[in-house]
Amino acid sequence: MKYKLVIDKKAEEEVIAIVHEPSSLTKQIEDLVLHFSGADGLMGHGEDEMRKLSFDEIECITIIDRKVIVIDSAGKQYRIQDRLRDLETLLPSYFIRINKSTLANEHRIARFDAMFSGGVDAVFRCGYREYVSRRCFAEIRRRYEN
């Protein structure tokens, strides 16, 4: 496989990939190119600070007490102004919906735990746990099987 990057400030940006057949890599490249908005993070408001959170350090984005909250890799919570449904189009493709009110960074999920009640929890690297709905879990399974 060859890789070539040409930087020309005057040319229109385009990405061309020549492959023998589609694969999971080509799908990821396509998602990245089509959904890249130029943003690489979100501004979060903590208790006494305002901080830019890069997408890589975000564990999940959830709704707590009717507020949109970002949980980072250290387990700290930051409030953001954006709505969850607006974030779905802004975030990279590795953010997946795990229930009606949570988007998760699939790279930061440590494991899925089965509960006695039959449900499933996503356990993040920072230790935070969030319920995974049955509908979303079925979609996640399909995604991992392909």
Side-chain angles (χ1 to χ4, degrees), residues 9 43 49 52 79 81 86 91 108 111 115:
K9 294 185 187 263
M43 288 303 292
E49 66 180 330
K52 183 175 182 182
R79 187 177 190 290
Q81 302 297 322
D86 297 336
L91 294 169
R108 304 293 304 171
R111 67 182 184 277
M115 308 305 290

Side-chain angles (χ1 to χ4, degrees), residues 55-56 58-60 94-95 103-109 124:
F55 292 145
D56 293 334
I58 295 173
E59 301 271 316
C60 69
Y94 54 85
F95 278 86
L103 295 170
N105 181 343
E106 74 176 320
H107 298 155
R108 304 293 304 171
I109 296 174
F124 295 91

Side-chain angles (χ1 to χ4, degrees), residues 63-102:
I63 297 176
I64 300 174
D65 295 330
R66 300 176 61 103
K67 294 178 182 143
V68 181
I69 303 293
V70 172
I71 299 172
D72 74 355
S73 56
K76 292 178 79 177
Q77 296 183 4
Y78 296 89
R79 187 177 190 290
I80 59 173
Q81 302 297 322
D82 303 301
R83 296 179 142 196
L84 212 55
R85 66 175 172 250
D86 297 336
L87 289 171
E88 275 188 294
T89 58
L90 173 73
L91 294 169
S93 62
Y94 54 85
F95 278 86
I96 56 176
R97 186 169 285 278
I98 61 172
N99 62 43
K100 189 172 120 179
S101 60
T102 304

Side-chain angles (χ1 to χ4, degrees), residues 2-8 13-15:
K2 294 181 190 177
Y3 173 76
K4 182 179 179 181
L5 175 67
V6 177
I7 299 175
D8 184 355
E13 290 186 345
E14 69 175 328
V15 176

